[in-house]
Each structure stands twice: as C-alpha cells, then as structure tokens.
Amino acid sequence: MKERLNYVELAPKGLETLAPIEEYLHECGLDERLLEIVKTRASQINGCAYCLDMHTKNARANGETEQR
C-alpha cells in the first residue's frame, strides 16, 4: 500500500500533543477493549480505513468480541 501522508514529518507537534493523551488513556483505568472501541468509532467518523483496521485488530487481540 502506498503511504499517503507521513504524519511524523507533516505534523510533529500534533503527534507530540497526542502522545500524552494516549499515555493518560492507558493509565486512567478504562478497559483497554473499551478504548479500542472508542478509537474504532473515531476512525469510522474520520473515514480512516488504516486506523479502523488497526483498532479492530487491536480490539480482537485484547479479547474483544465481534458482537460488541
């Protein structure tokens, strides 16, 4: 698959801003499966097939079911 955007080069400050948020989310006590469902929904809203694929795979790897 051809890379469309290189986020590290195009928006390094954006990634620096998101990193602490991601860290907080993993430390806040919410179930990892729920976090992946939220990220999956955000990816659907944003129309990002790459992120949608990544988050659904992560959710399955964390034990999430297809029905949920």
Side-chain angles (χ1 to χ4, degrees):
M1 179 167 76
K2 181 182 173 198
E3 181 181 52
R4 295 188 300 176
L5 297 172
N6 185 331
Y7 297 106
V8 176
E9 288 181 11
L10 292 174
K13 290 190 181 214
L15 290 176
E16 289 172 17
T17 302
L18 289 175
I21 295 170
E22 185 72 17
E23 185 178 326
Y24 167 77
L25 287 173
H26 289 283
E27 295 173 355
C28 73
L30 288 175
D31 185 1
E32 290 291 323
R33 295 180 306 159
L34 177 60
L35 290 174
E36 289 300 335
I37 289 173
V38 171
K39 291 176 185 179
T40 296
R41 183 61 183 137
S43 298
Q44 288 173 326
I45 292 168
N46 291 332
C48 183
Y50 175 84
C51 291
L52 183 59
D53 180 61
M54 174 180 58
H55 294 305
T56 54
K57 286 179 181 175
N58 289 347
R60 286 187 203 112
N62 287 334
E64 190 55 73
T65 64
E66 296 292 325
Q67 291 77 23
R68 186 170 166 190

